[in-house]
Amino acid sequence: MAKLTGAIHLSVHSVPILIVSTIILFIGLFVLIQNRKSVSNVVFFLICLCVNFWLYGSAFLYPAASPETALRIYRYVTFLGVSFVATMVYLFSVVWLKLARIQKWYAVLGLLGSAFFYVCGWTSPDSFPGMYHYFWGHYPHYGIINVFFLVFFFGYFLAAFCNFAIAYRRESSPILKTQIKYIAAAFVISFMGSIDFLPKLVYWPIYPIGYFCVFIWIMTVAYAIVKYRVMDIETVIHKTLMWAVLSSLVFLPIAAGFFFFKELFIQMPPALSSLVGVAVFWGLMIYAKRIQPWIDHFFQRRKYDLERVLIKFNDNLVHLKGLSELVAYIMQTMRDVLYVDKVHVFLKSGNERRLVRVDAVKEGLSELSADDAFIVWLEEHDDVVRVDFIDIDPRFEQIKKQARDFFENLSIKVCVPLVLNGELMGLILLGQKLNLKIFRTPEILFLSELRHAVTIAFSNSIRLIEMQQSLQRWNEELEEKVKQRTRELESAQKQLIQAEKLATIGTLAGGVAHEINNPLTAVLTNAQMLKMTPHTSDDEECIQLIEEGAKRCQLIVQKLMKYARKPVEEALLSEIDLNRVVESVLAFLRYQLEQENIKVSTAFGSLSQVRGIGNELEQVVTNIILNARDAIKSAKRSGVIAVKTYEQNGSVCASVEDDGVGIAEENISKIFDPFFTTKDVGKGTGLGLAISYGIVEKHGGRIRVESEKAKGARFTVELPKLQGAGSPV
């Protein structure tokens, strides 16, 4: 029993060393767990492990029961950490500063040198000739071999400091310079603990403060990890530190109690010692069940608060109506929870490669290009970005300048991409916090979780808007098609009514013409016979009137016969040049029109041929020109008739425009009705335009009329272009 108690003997000088060693070990493990694949994290953990061997060995070295026991502890445990710590610090500088390609062999030599001196410490008495005894306990005496070790030790520490100094001087990034500054300062503080070597070389009772220096070192590194994201760690490390400290405050007093009262515990009756053991066990259980969760909650209360906000946010999303309500709710949540001075929301505009700002604030940019290099990077990586990570995250190496410019131009601190199925839907941009603090990891995690729900909500809102717009567009198109079909039906109805009128009147006209034609022939024959017999001058005048009246009736009958005539056979149709038809009519009427002070202007286009009957088309053009003449003469003494031919929409067209009296709006729908005329009694039969309408319709075309009262009229004949015809002649 005496040997066992002597082996675990502790002193008051050992307790702070054990506490610091435990904290350093926990922090080293924490850093390693955060990113096991990072070489920097692994080497940092090895440094913490070396320091742990050194400090744990020292804690048991000081109060060792004998110099021999103390020497064994130092040779095999403490010196393992001391011999490798300098080369590990140098290796960390090489790995963290990315100098492995240049200095890797120096690091390898350092590790071999550390192994050499450690083996010498086992085997050679010139390494540790003996032990000193100071007021704090046993302490080793360094021999000649360890003098060379100290040269090796300080040489590699100095090489590490040179690496930090050169990197600091060459680095242009403010964030990286700050990182190097803190890490270098931390190792300088730890190096001050080298004063512990003096009592090992000569008998000099200077209390070893190395453990306190490495405690300041680990706290400085922890601060750099939290504030400047050294070694790719994105979480608040103070929780781990406080957990280690508070756990130490619980467990170490128990250990100290067993240590100081061990003789009492040994002399206790078995029943009482069992009772004490049970009490201690239940005390630890209460701590684990009650106190430790409360400590966790205390240090993670921000995280728990954000989780509750996230749950409430997701519940409220289903009650929002419309895109504007969603944007307003997101902005209000960001301001209330994260205390930011500004929030910008940009959404993708349809299929265009641009992001349009949809928040209500009017200052700043109104849109962003989705082809911007940094925005393309966001779409590919789909990750929340903090501005202070740009200079230290290797993922930004290729677009560091574009990313920095993006944040500076918009004066923002955090960018939250909204990506759905690999496609960027929008961005949420957050400005500076009102308390000027940085965004902590729980807040970044909160944004990462929240953006998934926001992205889906935005996607649904945009889809709903697109569906509403499509539905409105379809309704408008449907209304337009209904109006167009209605116009076509009305036009078809008018044509059917007109065709029915023409067919009915044509049948009637044919019968009337046949009935009237025979009496007219008898009247004309008798009138001519009377002219050949002797008669007086008065009789001559009467006979002349009879003959003129009969001829006039005969002319009307002929027009009625033409109107009622059945369509000609297809064999009578031929290829016709409409320009020649118009020229032929104008050649016949030009002299008559000039005598009546009416000028004719022509504009003939290059036309394709049409299929039809030439004399019938000539009759159509003649009727329209004569109507134009009558319209001019009704309004004034002179005027102009403009004749034009052209092709339009697959039809061959001829238009006749006059500057005459025009057609009243209420009469336009009636002008093609048989016997309808606006001329004075005796000056028109009302059959010319009706016959023309029938001829054009028979040729597969149509006649359009445009007119305003007192401003003239324009008649346009449209005939289908001959199918398979060559180029226009």
Side-chain angles (χ1 to χ4, degrees):
M1 187 58 136
K3 290 183 179 180
L4 181 60
T5 58
I8 62 171
H9 185 69
L10 293 175
S11 69
V12 69
H13 303 288
S14 303
V15 174
I17 297 176
L18 286 174
I19 294 175
V20 171
S21 181
T22 302
I23 292 174
I24 291 174
L25 180 61
F26 282 178
I27 292 178
L29 286 170
F30 175 80
V31 171
L32 178 65
I33 290 171
Q34 295 304 304
N35 190 352
R36 296 182 181 87
K37 296 181 180 180
S38 171
V39 181
S40 300
N41 293 37
V42 173
V43 176
F44 181 81
F45 167 72
L46 293 177
I47 294 174
C48 294
L49 193 61
C50 290
V51 172
N52 206 255
F53 276 112
W54 163 41
L55 294 181
Y56 267 123
S58 298
F60 291 99
L61 167 71
Y62 297 165
S66 65
E68 292 77 14
T69 302
L71 185 58
R72 283 197 299 272
I73 292 173
Y74 192 85
R75 282 178 185 273
Y76 298 113
V77 180
T78 309
F79 193 60
L80 175 61
V82 174
S83 61
F84 279 93
V85 70
T87 50
M88 286 299 171
V89 171
Y90 175 76
L91 179 61
F92 178 79
S93 71
V94 170
V95 172
W96 188 60
L97 298 174
K98 298 180 176 61
L99 302 174
R101 188 173 59 181
I102 303 173
Q103 301 184 17
K104 63 180 179 181
W105 291 114
Y106 297 113
V108 172
L109 290 175
L111 294 174
L112 292 176
S114 295
F116 170 76
F117 284 111
Y118 180 57
V119 173
C120 288
W122 283 0
T123 58
S124 175
D126 293 330
S127 293
F128 307 106
M131 299 294 291
Y132 293 123
H133 194 277
Y134 295 105
F135 66 87
W136 63 84
H138 294 289
Y139 214 59
H141 175 207
Y142 273 18
I144 186 64
I145 292 179
N146 280 344
V147 171
F148 291 104
F149 166 72
L150 291 179
V151 175
F152 169 83
F153 180 91
F154 291 122
Y156 267 90
F157 249 113
L158 182 61
F161 296 151
C162 289
N163 283 340
F164 287 126
I166 293 171
Y168 180 82
R169 190 176 69 251
R170 292 178 177 175
E171 185 57 54
S172 59
S173 168
I175 295 292
L176 292 180
K177 287 180 76 74
T178 304
Q179 285 183 341
I180 295 171
K181 178 179 69 176
Y182 274 99
I183 295 300
F187 282 113
V188 168
I189 293 171
S190 68
F191 181 73
M192 293 172 61
S194 300
I195 195 173
D196 289 1
F197 285 118
L198 286 177
K200 298 175 182 178
L201 295 173
V202 296
Y203 187 82
W204 194 1
I206 301 176
Y207 187 74
I209 60 170
Y211 77 92
F212 183 74
C213 294
V214 295
F215 180 75
I216 301 300
W217 161 74
I218 199 65
M219 292 296 101
T220 306
V221 172
Y223 177 78
I225 288 174
V226 173
K227 190 170 181 61
Y228 299 105
R229 202 192 178 212
V230 177
M231 291 177 289
D232 298 329
I233 297 174
E234 298 184 25
T235 188
V236 181
I237 200 170
H238 69 261
K239 173 187 176 293
T240 304
L241 297 178
M242 293 305 298
W243 182 87
V245 171
L246 292 174
S247 298
S248 300
L249 293 177
V250 173
F251 288 104
L252 290 179
I254 295 175
F258 276 107
F259 168 72
F260 288 111
F261 299 100
K262 60 181 180 296
E263 298 297 337
L264 179 61
F265 292 141
I266 292 172
Q267 297 174 7
M268 278 184 182
L272 183 59
S273 61
S274 300
L275 184 62
V276 171
V278 171
V280 172
F281 172 77
W282 280 107
L284 293 176
M285 290 296 294
I286 292 172
Y287 171 79
K289 294 291 185 181
R290 301 291 183 184
I291 300 176
Q292 187 63 49
W294 179 85
I295 294 172
D296 291 343
H297 179 76
F298 178 79
F299 288 106
Q300 297 194 73
R301 60 190 183 278
R302 178 64 171 160
K303 176 184 176 184
Y304 294 142
D305 292 341
L306 292 175
E307 287 177 352
R308 286 197 296 270
V309 170
L310 184 61
I311 294 172
K312 181 180 178 182
F313 181 88
N314 291 334
D315 291 341
N316 290 339
L317 277 182
V318 298
H319 303 295
L320 298 177
K321 298 178 181 178
L323 185 62
S324 58
E325 285 190 15
L326 176 60
V327 173
Y329 182 59
I330 291 171
M331 296 178 66
Q332 191 62 43
T333 301
M334 297 298 178
R335 291 194 177 100
D336 293 343
V337 176
L338 302 177
Y339 317 113
V340 292
D341 59 352
K342 57 184 174 183
V343 182
H344 300 320
V345 181
F346 288 83
L347 293 179
K348 190 175 181 183
S349 177
N351 294 324
E352 301 179 16
R353 293 292 294 172
R354 64 191 182 99
L355 302 172
V356 179
R357 187 169 164 182
V358 294
D359 54 88
V361 183
K362 295 183 179 179
E363 301 115 18
L365 291 174
S366 60
E367 64 178 51
L368 299 169
S369 173
D371 294 322
D372 181 90
F374 178 64
I375 295 180
V376 172
W377 185 94
L378 286 172
E379 187 172 23
E380 293 174 354
H381 289 77
D382 187 17
D383 197 9
V384 179
V385 179
R386 285 163 48 182
V387 65
D388 49 340
F389 287 1
I390 293 175
D391 290 323
I392 59 178
D393 195 327
R395 295 180 302 168
F396 294 98
E397 194 65 34
Q398 301 297 327
I399 59 160
K400 187 178 295 183
K401 182 180 183 303
Q402 295 91 329
R404 194 184 300 114
D405 292 343
F406 181 86
F407 277 85
E408 290 176 358
N409 292 337
L410 294 171
S411 300
I412 58 173
K413 299 298 181 183
V414 174
C415 177
V416 183
L418 308 176
V419 180
L420 184 64
N421 298 327
E423 181 181 357
L424 185 70
M425 300 283 301
L427 296 173
I428 299 177
L429 310 179
L430 306 179
Q432 177 70 56
K433 282 188 175 183
L434 296 176
N435 57 12
L436 303 182
K437 291 184 178 181
I438 65 172
F439 285 84
R440 299 292 184 180
T441 299
E443 294 166 339
I444 299 300
L445 294 175
F446 166 76
L447 291 172
S448 298
E449 292 294 330
L450 179 136
R451 69 193 181 100
H452 297 300
V454 170
T455 302
I456 295 173
F458 273 135
S459 175
N460 292 337
S461 296
I462 292 172
R463 209 175 319 175
L464 179 61
I465 292 173
E466 290 176 349
M467 291 173 62
Q468 291 174 343
Q469 291 176 345
S470 298
L471 184 60
Q472 182 178 0
R473 190 164 55 250
W474 293 339
N475 286 337
E476 292 174 354
E477 292 177 356
L478 182 60
E479 289 178 2
E480 182 60 31
K481 288 181 179 179
V482 169
K483 291 179 181 178
Q484 182 179 351
R485 292 292 184 268
T486 302
R487 289 193 296 267
E488 292 175 356
L489 288 172
E490 289 176 351
S491 176
Q493 185 181 21
K494 290 178 181 178
Q495 292 179 10
L496 287 173
I497 293 172
Q498 184 71 12
E500 187 177 356
K501 286 180 182 179
L502 292 176
T504 303
I505 296 175
T507 303
L508 176 63
V512 171
H514 283 290
E515 293 295 330
I516 293 177
N517 195 41
N518 292 331
L520 283 178
T521 302
V523 170
L524 281 174
T525 301
N526 288 307
Q528 290 174 356
M529 291 177 64
L530 287 173
K531 287 177 67 176
M532 291 184 293
T533 60
H535 51 269
T536 63
S537 58
D538 293 335
D539 294 336
E540 178 70 24
E541 185 177 354
C542 291
I543 294 171
Q544 186 68 29
L545 290 173
I546 292 171
E547 186 178 15
E548 289 178 1
K551 287 182 178 180
R552 180 174 177 78
C553 290
Q554 192 176 41
L555 180 62
I556 293 173
V557 169
Q558 289 174 354
K559 289 184 177 181
L560 285 173
M561 292 296 289
K562 287 183 179 180
Y563 177 75
R565 186 179 300 159
K566 300 297 182 183
V568 294
E569 297 297 329
E570 186 70 21
L572 298 178
L573 299 176
S574 62
E575 296 180 3
I576 295 174
D577 182 358
L578 191 58
N579 280 337
R580 293 181 180 176
V581 171
V582 176
E583 288 174 350
S584 175
V585 172
L586 290 177
F588 179 72
L589 297 176
R590 191 182 299 273
Y591 178 76
Q592 178 183 352
L593 295 173
E594 288 177 354
Q595 294 300 313
E596 296 181 354
N597 295 322
I598 296 175
K599 295 182 179 180
V600 179
S601 65
T602 58
F604 295 112
S606 180
L607 303 179
S608 300
Q609 292 187 333
V610 297
R611 182 175 293 278
I613 302 173
N615 62 350
E616 289 190 352
L617 295 178
E618 287 178 358
Q619 182 180 356
V620 171
V621 176
T622 300
N623 287 339
I624 294 174
I625 292 176
L626 291 179
N627 269 345
R629 176 202 65 182
D630 294 340
I632 293 173
K633 298 300 288 183
S634 298
K636 49 190 176 180
R637 298 179 60 86
S638 62
V640 177
I641 296 176
V643 182
K644 181 180 179 182
T645 62
Y646 56 93
E647 286 192 15
Q648 185 178 35
N649 299 329
S651 298
V652 178
C653 306
S655 68
V656 177
E657 185 175 1
D658 64 74
D659 56 355
V661 69
I663 304 171
E665 185 177 355
E666 63 271 14
N667 293 331
I668 289 180
S669 61
K670 305 174 184 178
I671 59 174
F672 296 112
D673 291 347
F675 305 112
F676 176 81
T677 180
T678 58
K679 300 176 184 178
D680 295 337
V681 178
K683 293 188 176 180
T685 63
L687 290 173
L689 289 179
I691 293 172
S692 299
Y693 185 93
I695 293 172
V696 172
E697 188 180 51
K698 181 178 67 177
H699 282 72
R702 63 172 183 156
I703 298 180
R704 291 186 290 108
V705 60
E706 303 167 64
S707 178
E708 288 186 38
K709 186 68 175 178
K711 291 187 178 180
R714 179 169 63 241
F715 285 80
T716 303
V717 176
E718 295 181 1
L719 298 173
K721 185 166 58 175
L722 181 64
Q723 296 295 325
S727 59
V729 294

